[in-house]
Amino acid sequence: MPRNVEIKAKVRNVDEIVSKAKQLSNSEGTWIKQEDVFFKVPQGRLKLREYEDRTAELIFYNRPDGDGPKLSEYQKCSVRHGTELALVLGQALGIMGHVKKDRQLFMVGQTRVHIDHVQSLGCFMELEVVLTEGQTIDQGKAIAESLMKELGVERDYLVSGAYMDLLLK
C-alpha cells in the first residue's frame, strides 16, 4: 500500500508561503480544482475526488488524527463516471459531506506541497512526503519537519484531521 507522511496547517500569510513554495520548487505550481465527496465507512476515510475536467479518483486512506507529521496509507483508483459512482456509493454507504477546494500544487523533491483554498474554511497548507520503498517513517517525518521550517510553518498552526472533519465541527 502506498504511504506518505503528512502535515496540514492553517495559513496565516498566503502570499508569503506561496513565494517560499515557488522558490523551493523552482516553479509557479499547478492550479487544480477539486471536489471531494466523503462517504461513511467503518474505518479510515473513503472519498471520491472529482476534477474540473470531470475525471475522478476513488481514494481510501487511513491515518491517525494528530497535528504533527503522521503516516498515511492509501489506495487510489481512477474511475469513469465519477458523478454516477458518487450516487451509488452515497446510497450504499451514506455521504458525510463535500469539500471543495482550489489547490496550488508544488513539487519539492519527493514532497507534494499543497496550498489549499477550501470553501467555507479558508487557506491551508499540506505537505505529503511520498515515501519510497524501504524509506522509513522517521525519514519522511524528518523531511516534513525540514520543509515546515523552510516554509515558515509554525507548530501552533498545525491541524489534525481532514478538511471534512473541520467542516463538520
Side-chain angles (χ1 to χ4, degrees), residues 98-158:
H98 298 256
V99 175
K100 294 180 181 181
K101 64 183 170 276
D102 291 326
R103 168 172 277 179
Q104 194 169 8
L105 167 65
F106 300 92
M107 290 302 301
V108 179
Q110 71 191 77
T111 305
R112 294 187 294 251
V113 177
H114 302 142
I115 310 300
D116 292 336
H117 302 266
V118 184
Q119 192 175 72
S120 302
L121 285 180
C123 293
F124 294 82
M125 183 274 324
E126 282 186 351
L127 297 179
E128 293 179 353
V129 182
V130 180
L131 297 176
T132 59
E133 192 170 321
Q135 196 170 24
T136 68
I137 297 165
D138 287 338
Q139 290 170 322
K141 286 181 178 180
I143 293 168
E145 295 277 355
S146 175
L147 270 174
M148 281 174 57
K149 287 180 186 154
E150 290 183 80
L151 291 166
V153 176
E154 297 176 29
R155 287 209 164 274
D156 293 347
Y157 288 88
L158 293 179

Side-chain angles (χ1 to χ4, degrees), residues 9-26:
K10 184 78 175 145
V11 170
R12 274 191 304 174
N13 185 327
V14 175
D15 293 336
E16 184 178 307
I17 199 162
V18 166
S19 175
K20 289 178 181 179
K22 285 180 179 181
Q23 288 175 333
L24 290 169
S25 68
N26 197 28

Side-chain angles (χ1 to χ4, degrees), residues 20-47:
K20 289 178 181 179
K22 285 180 179 181
Q23 288 175 333
L24 290 169
S25 68
N26 197 28
S27 76
E28 291 296 309
T30 302
W31 280 98
I32 307 166
K33 264 190 189 305
Q34 299 175 340
E35 181 173 352
D36 295 340
V37 180
F38 281 81
F39 301 97
K40 296 177 183 176
V41 291
Q43 69 176 28
R45 292 184 173 92
L46 180 67
K47 64 185 174 186

